[in-house]
Amino acid sequence: MSKRKPYVFLEPSKDGPQYWRSLEERQDLAREDYAEKNAAEFPAGHFTTPPSDEAIALNRRTFLGVAGAAMAMGGASGCRRPEEKIVPYAKMPEQVVLGIPAHYTTALSSRGEAVGLLVESHEGRPTKVEGNPDHPASLGSTDIAAQAAVLELYDMDRSTQPLKAGKPATWEEFEKELAGQLGNGGADLAIWLGPVHSPTRDRLVAAVQNKYPKVTFYCHSALPNEAGALVDTKDPTARHVRRVPVVDYAKARIILALDCDFLQSEAGNVRASKLFARGRRLERPSDAMSRLYMAEAGVSTTGGAADHRVRVPRSAIPRLVSALAGKLSGRGIGVGELAKGAGAIAGVSDGWLNALADDLALAKGGAVVVAGSDLPPGVHAAVEVLNGALQSQCVTYYERRTSAASWAEGRAEAAPSASVLLILGGNPVYDGVVSSKFADAIAKAKFSVHLSTHVNETSEKCTWHVPRAHEFEAWGDLESIDGTVTVQQPLIAPMYDGRSDIELLALVAGESSRRGYDFVRTTVRDLLLSLRGFKVCGADGANIKCRDAAGTETLIRLTDLEKEWSKALRDGRIGSVKKPVTEGLLDATKTAGLLNTSAPSPSKDSLEAVFVPCPRLGDGSSANNPWLLEMPDPITKIVWDNAALLSPTTAKDLAIASEDLIELSAGGASVKIAAFVVPGVADGCVVLALGWGRTKAGRVGSNKGFNVYPLRNGPNVGYTSGVKVTNTGTKYKLARTQEYTSQKAPNSMEARPLAREATLGEYRKNPNFAELQSPPQRVLPLWAGQDYSKGYQWGMVIDLNACTGCGTCIAACQAENNVPVVGKVEVARGREMHWIRIDRYFVENAKL
């Protein structure tokens, strides 16, 4: 029997009333129709390669897989199958009204900063996140990560029970086995913590140290969490201290950012974006407007918002600072020895430096310099000197301490050799500086525990994996950079029987209570009393015994503290527990040897790999969130992947084109990754986004993109020198929501400019420049104009002076309206579902 080709029924056409065609013929017709429609909408070609058969003939299994994940994690969020039968309320709880949402304050930790939030809840289920307008770290705003956090709460791939050697176990079994491993004063015990600043966690760390004096604490973070100068300290309990700047960008007139993406990926980006927008809005032509200078290796969100930008390898930033110091010194600004070692910097003209120095010197108190957290400590120290010399009134410094060794001090070679190892959060086997050494350290330990929300790359190496509660499920507290303390109150009971970090520390410390609520209440009570100048010294019935600084005892009623506790939960914050640092700042007398300007310049034969956190996935901990995977990159507009970004010049020299699969090697490690050519990248550099290429992220996030952490093995965690490139000769398809070439066609957009722009001086002379630059109408309008004399009509206008293109509005709209994801293949066909689209264009004649 001959095998018959599959046929499909088509609509009537000129070929006859009805006809049949084979599936192969149908695909050919679909491709032709697709090309015609695509050429009509995007004359320059929306795609660089024709769609594949997989894209034309929709794969049912792929579609159902992506759609099912989207429905499970998005559309069905908040609805989980009950384990027992449920019945309606016999008596409706007083605080619950069906259909009326409730709002609760809480906070999320973001690169060491506490972002204050208001979370909307429907019948006990968190559904939407907004910023807390009364919190100094958010000012009512959020970022992409905060908007998408609610989807991670309902992630069905989260861990649901403890596992011993990969097999199901119980919390009782784990607690019993853990108790048998503790002893010997903690000499065999090492505990790894995440980069979270929490007063309650610090208190429990002290309790563990009190019970086990020989215990060793480490702090693991894939990314540096604060920018600021290191502070010398002789206190052995505070081995890592930074003086962290908090900048008021609304007050700044001149801003210099040194490879610092403060609008997207740095700590405090939510507050910075809010204040920066205030300084950019023009209500009247006479209003002042800030000016932003940027020097960076890649193209960041902050770089895209800059007024004046130069391409500089990250290794050359110390030379740039030194060259700028020389210019400032010639203008009477005392900068000590910072100007020593200044040399020529490729891509930075003397005219650019002179203009920058003039603006900084003239602005004085209204000028500020900021540096990226990935830059060496000497650069941060030099920036502190520059801000002092410029008499900046826009920056305030706070000290941040931790009792654990920092990742910069410990690095991978300091992976613990303890026989009992507890890792609370994080994923060092995936994102450690040299991850293989973490895996070796875990293998050598006789007893290892990983507390995490998912069974990830680190969990599968440990003896025990125990589920971690989401931040929306657990009691906790966070301290902002400026010292503001926020209580994290749970929005829902733990869905997967998880425990928080403080609850596990309390277990190790042997505390009688196991409830996070009890520990947080005690911490908040002590903080509230300390703000009054009291210290708790005992209890007396319904009162708390306190002693002031003079030693006088006072009784505080518990009912009064209960009111303040309720107010703290309602406001979402407690007063600041820290004061700004005003003394001991670095000045021109302390500049000797700060800057190392001897780094070699990169070339096509020895590239510099620059590592940046992914604007969507961060360090990779959110890799199983489909909203973030399908979120377009703010610059490249790539979805479901990362890529190696190269400048057009470097790509031409290396004979590499976009979507070529290349191999990068350095320090004995190599990775394969798709290349993508982007204007604005520094020549001789390849920019790599971290957080991709996970192998144990979950059903949605595993094996997406490329893991570039293995290349981060040099002495500088922010970049690696001496990278070799090999073109493998194969292609890798990248899905994007925008092409850069579509505006170049002679007939596209009727040859009109995509946007009308003018300088601030031109705007002040002619505020209606955009209207006057519009081309005359070719024909009369078909309908009358809208009459607004009876009142305003609905509309949305974006102020492009204030908009940074960060993409938070896309994430917020997706969360608000439950917009589904469709997957990489469908996005490549132009079928992305986002209701908001942000395009980014490069000016062809600009000197990027």
Side-chain angles (χ1 to χ4, degrees), residues 13 18 166 276 357 446 448 532 557 579 642 672 717 750 784 807 815 840:
S13 75
Q18 294 180 350
F276 178 77
K446 68 176 182 179
S448 54
R532 296 190 195 178
R557 291 187 301 177
K579 294 182 179 180
N642 60 335
K672 290 183 179 180
V717 77
E750 299 180 356
R840 191 178 292 273

Side-chain angles (χ1 to χ4, degrees), residues 102-104 106 117-121 126-130 472 491:
H103 294 81
Y104 299 91
T106 187
L117 303 175
L118 284 175
V119 181
E120 182 178 308
S121 179
T127 55
K128 185 66 173 65
V129 174
E130 300 294 349
F472 288 165
L491 280 300

Side-chain angles (χ1 to χ4, degrees), residues 660-682:
D660 282 349
L661 190 65
I662 61 176
E663 184 174 14
L664 305 175
S665 57
S670 64
V671 298
K672 290 183 179 180
I673 184 172
F676 192 69
V677 180
V678 180
V681 175

